[in-house]
Amino acid sequence: QVQLVESGGGLAQPGGSLRLSCLASSGLSLDFFSIGWFRQAPGGEREGVACISRKDPSTTYYKESVKGRFTVSRDDAKNTAYLHLDNLKPEDTGVYFCAADPRRLGLSAQWYEYWGQGTQVVVSA
């Protein structure tokens, strides 16, 4: 069973930054999986914000509204993926989830097999 644990969420001011981490459980090689980051605002649907390929970490995709502000990366030696959030806006508020899949890559939540429990991000002055 793949276990993913997110961390790094919290309260940030508009224009601020956060770094989210997604740690895969011991015994699991994260390099077998593409990683997606998703978020869910209160009362909203889960939406994909960024993803990174397992085969080529330079292959990444972003939701249009976060391009230039969010950066997805991975360190397979540490079994960890990251999402750097810069220039945060109030509309970035939500619970952020990481997800892993051995076959697919994209921003559609239905493509991912394994999910973490999420970490809360609140952007407010």
Side-chain angles (χ1 to χ4, degrees):
Q1 181 69 27
V2 175
Q3 183 176 5
L4 303 173
V5 180
E6 302 93 336
S7 62
L11 176 64
Q13 292 186 342
S17 299
L18 289 171
R19 188 184 77 164
L20 308 183
S21 298
C22 173
L23 175 65
S25 56
S26 60
L28 169 71
S29 295
L30 195 63
D31 55 358
F32 286 122
F33 298 87
S34 293
I35 301 297
W37 284 95
F38 297 81
R39 69 185 178 194
Q40 189 165 13
E45 296 185 353
R46 193 169 298 189
E47 61 177 4
V49 296
C51 59
I52 185 167
S53 171
R54 67 175 178 88
K55 296 180 179 180
D56 178 9
S58 67
T59 298
T60 57
Y61 299 100
Y62 295 92
K63 179 180 173 63
E64 190 65 32
S65 63
V66 308
K67 284 182 179 178
R69 301 190 298 118
F70 290 7
T71 303
V72 60
S73 62
R74 61 191 300 157
D75 185 339
D76 292 337
K78 295 183 178 179
N79 251 5
T80 303
Y82 304 96
L83 185 67
H84 296 253
L85 292 67
D86 295 314
N87 192 19
L88 282 162
K89 302 178 180 181
E91 53 263 41
D92 295 321
T93 294
V95 179
Y96 283 70
F97 301 87
C98 66
D101 196 86
R103 296 173 298 276
R104 295 174 175 175
L105 174 68
L107 298 181
S108 177
Q110 63 184 355
W111 291 351
Y112 289 82
E113 184 171 359
Y114 304 105
W115 289 82
Q117 294 301 307
T119 185
Q120 178 76 52
V121 171
V122 176
V123 183
S124 176

